[in-house]
Amino acid sequence: MSLHASSGVDPAGKGRRRPGRLAPVVGKARKQLQNALAAAGYPSRVLVACSGGPDSLALAAVAAYFGRRGHVDGHPVTVAGVVVDHQLQAGSAEVAAKTVSVLRDLGLSPVEVRTVDVASTGFGPEAAARDARHAALESAADDLGCQAILLGHTLDDQAEQVLLGLARGSGTRSLAGMRPVRGRLLRPFLGLRRQETVEICEAEELEPWHDPSNSDPAFARSRTRVEVMPVLEEKLGPGVAESLARTAAILQQDADFLEDLANETYLSLVQREEGVAWLPEDAVRGLPAALRFRVIAKAAADVGGQQPGYGRLQAAEALLRRQGSAGPVQLPGHVSVSRLSLSDLAQERPRASGDSANAVPREAARCGKLVFRHQKPSQQ
């Protein structure tokens, strides 16, 4: 399907629509964007990330309304646009160019295309594309002086995110879904259904592009969208998507509380030396499980690792129940964690006395601790 703006946009390209009755769904979307910008402190320059699909195109049209007015609640605002071309599909450059044309017709200025190369990260093609896209958006926001980046994720996207997290056995942070605000990223449409963004495009006389990958069964998210969610709505009744999104909102509060508490606890316990982080095992062992696992994960991140999965965290946490020195346990991102035992240190001291060749290593002073260190790949 081609992507274009209809004759509802004036020939001068200013994005002004013919006068008419405001569609209720457009008014609803404007209010949600208005509230999001107010909560963000009324950024004076915002950047709309638009793929040309219904969600982001609807967001662009709503943002363009405020851009044409020049203010939100009396606070000045200008609206720019960016299209990220992932180069993953044939004809992606043409889609990007057409989307740029539509955004300019709506009145966004400036509008740019950012072309990215999606490199394999080991976490799947969707994650790799997301990482490349977010890096391009942040770069564009820096270059254009934008304080906020608007993303078009909807309530349906949030519900699918929670459902995928449940299926994968993820923890609270994953089940909390996407944040309405994360740094400069704003998601003002998390209260809108996907069908409502389609209705906004119809009301604004815009014809969006439909990404074929959204219905490709090769992707878990696409299968969830096309096959799983409709069955849940049919078998459990309407409102499943809203309930899943509400679950995410509740868990975001819980996750934030636990994150803050874990960060405070970690900072009170950690000691660092020459690129190594270590934690006193007695203090870690005495923490509630919810904090203990989070503190271990923070130590891994502190030395340059990646977020461990639950299985790896269990293996690291099990070191606390071992007798004597134990490990290492390998964690993602080339991080190892070991337990060093006080009893083993006591046994080493007699052999070390009077014999410099068998002296107790300097790192033995960290006995009775969980020790985290980053290792180069060649050392694995």
Side-chain angles (χ1 to χ4, degrees):
M1 179 179 290
S2 63
L3 183 153
H4 65 275
S6 77
S7 58
V9 180
D10 73 17
K14 300 301 183 182
R16 299 185 184 277
R17 303 269 160 189
R18 291 189 295 266
R21 182 180 177 184
L22 179 67
V25 69
V26 175
K28 177 181 178 181
R30 287 179 182 177
K31 187 63 177 177
Q32 294 204 4
L33 178 54
Q34 182 179 3
N35 291 341
L37 294 176
Y42 295 106
S44 61
R45 188 161 182 79
V46 300
L47 179 67
V48 179
C50 186
S51 66
D55 302 344
S56 60
L57 193 59
L59 177 59
V62 172
Y65 164 75
F66 292 104
R68 293 192 297 269
R69 292 181 70 191
H71 70 89
V72 179
D73 297 333
H75 298 267
V77 66
T78 58
V79 183
V82 63
V83 181
V84 178
D85 179 6
H86 300 84
Q87 305 184 92
L88 296 177
Q89 299 173 358
S92 64
E94 181 182 0
V95 172
K98 290 181 177 179
T99 304
V100 166
S101 178
V102 173
L103 298 184
R104 287 173 177 163
D105 284 345
L106 286 169
L108 275 62
S109 180
V111 180
E112 296 185 354
V113 173
R114 294 288 172 120
T115 301
V116 298
D117 294 313
V118 179
S120 176
T121 61
F123 293 95
E126 291 176 284
R130 182 181 61 248
D131 291 345
R133 178 170 61 255
H134 283 186
L137 295 177
E138 292 286 351
S139 175
D142 288 339
D143 294 344
L144 298 175
C146 296
Q147 298 89 29
I149 303 168
L150 306 184
L151 304 179
H153 296 109
T154 65
L155 184 149
D156 294 82
D157 294 310
Q158 185 76 298
E160 292 158 8
Q161 183 85 356
V162 175
L163 195 57
L164 285 168
L166 285 169
R168 293 165 178 162
S170 301
T172 306
R173 175 61 64 193
S174 178
L175 296 181
M178 295 175 287
R179 296 308 184 97
V181 181
R182 184 178 180 183
R184 281 190 290 189
L185 301 178
L186 305 184
R187 296 181 173 93
F189 279 6
L190 288 180
L192 285 181
R193 295 300 302 265
R194 184 174 293 129
Q195 179 57 36
E196 290 181 297
T197 66
V198 174
E199 294 170 7
I200 292 170
C201 289
E202 292 174 352
E204 294 291 312
E205 302 179 359
L206 298 168
E207 188 174 356
W209 170 68
H210 293 277
D211 186 346
S213 69
N214 287 335
S215 56
D216 186 345
F219 299 106
R221 182 176 294 278
S222 299
R223 295 194 300 272
T224 302
R225 173 178 301 182
V226 176
E227 301 174 12
V228 179
M229 286 299 297
V231 172
L232 290 178
E233 293 278 357
E234 176 188 353
K235 300 299 183 181
L236 301 180
V240 171
E242 287 87 351
S243 296
L244 288 169
R246 185 165 58 250
T247 296
I250 294 169
L251 289 177
Q252 282 173 12
Q253 299 176 29
D254 295 348
D256 286 345
F257 172 76
L258 287 170
E259 180 72 13
D260 290 343
L261 189 56
N263 193 55
E264 292 176 5
T265 303
Y266 176 68
L267 293 177
S268 71
L269 296 178
V270 67
Q271 297 192 48
R272 303 179 183 88
E273 181 180 345
E274 298 178 0
V276 174
W278 51 270
L279 300 167
E281 63 176 1
D282 286 343
V284 176
R285 189 184 296 114
L287 295 173
L291 284 181
R292 188 162 61 245
F293 282 98
R294 284 172 168 81
V295 165
I296 291 172
K298 286 186 176 295
D302 198 4
V303 297
Q306 300 165 353
Q307 174 64 36
Y310 186 59
R312 288 290 81 200
L313 282 175
Q314 283 184 308
E317 193 261 355
L319 292 173
L320 297 170
R321 295 185 292 278
R322 298 283 295 276
Q323 297 295 321
S325 297
V329 169
Q330 302 302 322
L331 301 178
H334 310 295
V335 169
S336 68
V337 53
S338 303
R339 174 180 182 263
L340 297 183
S341 164
L342 286 169
S343 61
D344 282 359
L345 174 61
Q347 294 172 8
E348 287 289 336
R349 289 191 186 279
R351 294 199 301 268
S353 58
D355 186 352
S356 60
N358 293 321
V360 177
R362 183 167 177 262
E363 86 174 5
R366 305 187 188 100
C367 290
K369 300 171 175 66
L370 289 182
V371 181
F372 298 76
R373 60 169 56 82
H374 187 272
Q375 298 175 310
K376 294 181 180 180
S378 59
Q379 297 176 323
Q380 294 290 304

